[in-house]
Amino acid sequence: MTPLAEHLEAYRKHLLAKGCSGRHIKLTVARTRRIIDRCGFSYWRDIRASRVSGLLAELRADTTTENGKVCRGIGPQTSNLYLASFRAFCAWCVEDGRASESPVASLRPMNTQTDRRHDRRALSVEELVRLLDSTSEEPERFDMTGPRRELLYRLGVETGLRASEFDSLTRDSFDLSLERPVVRVKAAYSKRRRDDVVPLRTETAAALADVLTTMFPQDHLFAIHDRGAKMMRADLAAARRKWVAEAPTAAQRRDRRESDLLRYKDSRGRFADFHALRHSTASLLAAGGVHRQQACRAVSQR
């Protein structure tokens, strides 16, 4: 009888041969392994849908430490990601002839609207302008200079690319010789699992050209990894400090300190992390005359 650990390793190799990104494989395997370990599954015959759903409910539950601190459990969206990873693993085992049917095929994802843990907001035009101007003058952080991070944020708003897609970009990802310059994202790194071609503004292409000429073809342009939120938080804080300091009077500085402008987390509990740049893309499209629903759909399909 083959242990589940061996099936999981074979599944990892399958994902690798399929061309999935390293980050996707790492997360998928880690989530699947956590369910296997926490549920105490050793062999295929051990898998029970009730134990998987019970574990996910346990992970979603809040806990209280001995000193009274409440630690929130995972949200519905994260719970769904765990479930999707494990269901995909089980489905592959069936497709590969390792099992006759999936024990978890009946499990369904939760409604993520019932408990939104990390609502994001779109940055206003003023916030974007101040963030870009300030970041271009900031020192190196997270292995990127200020001008490189400024270029990253500008591309984030203009293209709606995700952090993992930015991590994949090399010099060869850009074709600036076309009448309408573009950036290409390979299917392995695209959430839609297909090659994406995104047009670039002329001004942005010109800024990119200055950077790309100093790089080798396979050099990566950005190094976000899992630090996008920390990066944005630091640069927003720097831009906000400058904005507050620019106020000509003490009363105006006080008003600015009480304002939500350039806050990483605003008074409504919404975040302006790296992924929020995609929300800004949709808002700018809508402001430019694109219907709000069409704008949101255009970004989500990217």
Side-chain angles (χ1 to χ4, degrees):
M1 188 176 295
T2 305
L4 283 174
E6 291 187 23
H7 288 311
L8 184 57
E9 174 59 19
Y11 181 54
R12 186 192 68 80
K13 292 179 179 178
H14 161 75
L15 294 177
L16 186 63
K18 187 179 175 182
C20 295
S21 69
R23 182 174 182 272
H24 171 74
I25 296 172
K26 181 180 179 180
L27 287 173
T28 299
V29 172
R31 290 168 183 150
T32 303
R33 182 179 289 115
R34 186 179 186 187
I35 290 178
I36 291 174
D37 292 344
R38 290 287 297 270
C39 288
F41 299 150
S42 298
Y43 300 96
W44 184 264
R45 67 184 182 188
D46 299 330
I47 299 176
R48 296 290 184 275
S50 60
R51 290 169 69 177
V52 174
S53 60
L55 171 64
L56 294 177
E58 178 185 326
L59 294 176
R60 291 192 301 269
D62 296 341
T63 58
T64 304
T65 62
E66 292 182 356
N67 59 9
K69 181 181 178 180
V70 176
C71 300
R72 300 201 70 182
I74 64 174
Q77 184 171 0
T78 302
S79 177
N80 288 347
L81 290 172
Y82 272 94
L83 177 59
S85 295
F86 193 70
R87 285 188 60 184
F89 163 66
C90 290
W92 174 81
C93 286
V94 173
E95 293 172 3
D96 200 51
R98 296 167 180 264
S100 58
E101 61 180 352
S102 170
V104 295
S106 61
L107 296 182
R108 294 291 178 265
M110 297 183 66
N111 180 0
T112 58
Q113 299 300 320
T114 60
D115 182 17
R116 299 187 64 83
R117 305 261 170 140
H118 200 78
D119 276 327
R120 297 181 173 93
R121 67 180 180 89
L123 278 74
S124 67
V125 173
E126 180 181 1
E127 286 178 305
L128 289 170
V129 170
R130 289 186 176 279
L131 173 64
L132 296 178
D133 287 347
S134 170
T135 303
S136 67
E137 300 174 352
E138 285 294 299
E140 180 174 323
R141 293 193 189 103
F142 304 99
D143 302 321
M144 276 193 281
T145 64
R148 185 66 60 90
R149 296 196 310 279
E150 184 269 339
L151 182 59
L152 169 65
Y153 298 152
R154 190 197 306 186
L155 278 168
V157 174
E158 292 181 13
T159 65
L161 291 177
R162 298 171 174 82
S164 58
E165 294 170 328
F166 273 113
D167 272 336
S168 73
L169 299 182
T170 66
R171 195 187 78 179
D172 279 353
S173 302
F174 298 88
D175 193 340
L176 307 182
S177 62
L178 301 175
E179 183 177 350
R180 185 72 186 273
V182 299
V183 56
R184 293 184 171 87
V185 180
K186 294 182 179 179
Y189 301 95
S190 169
K191 190 170 184 177
R192 297 184 300 165
R193 292 294 174 260
R194 72 183 193 191
D195 289 347
D196 280 332
V197 180
V198 185
L200 300 170
R201 294 173 64 246
T202 304
E203 297 85 347
T204 303
L208 280 165
D210 293 337
V211 176
L212 297 180
T213 53
T214 66
M215 299 171 57
F216 292 107
Q218 298 305 314
D219 283 350
H220 286 267
L221 184 58
F222 303 109
I224 305 176
H225 307 312
D226 294 319
R227 305 174 297 183
K230 294 180 180 179
M231 190 184 302
M232 279 282 290
R233 188 169 193 162
D235 285 328
L236 281 168
R240 181 176 168 82
R241 285 194 298 270
K242 292 177 184 178
W243 174 64
V244 171
E246 289 172 359
T249 67
Q252 289 175 314
R253 286 193 292 275
R254 183 183 63 248
D255 290 342
R256 291 189 178 190
R257 280 193 291 268
E258 294 175 355
S259 167
D260 277 342
L261 193 80
L262 294 168
R263 283 191 186 277
Y264 175 72
K265 183 179 180 181
D266 69 9
S267 57
R268 295 169 57 185
R270 300 175 304 170
F271 292 85
D273 58 11
F274 188 84
H275 198 78
L277 294 175
R278 287 171 53 80
H279 292 247
S280 304
T281 306
S283 293
L284 291 175
L285 285 171
V290 179
H291 190 277
R292 180 73 182 179
Q293 288 185 336
Q294 291 177 320
C296 293
R297 188 180 303 116
V299 174
S300 65
Q301 290 177 345
R302 249 249 65 267

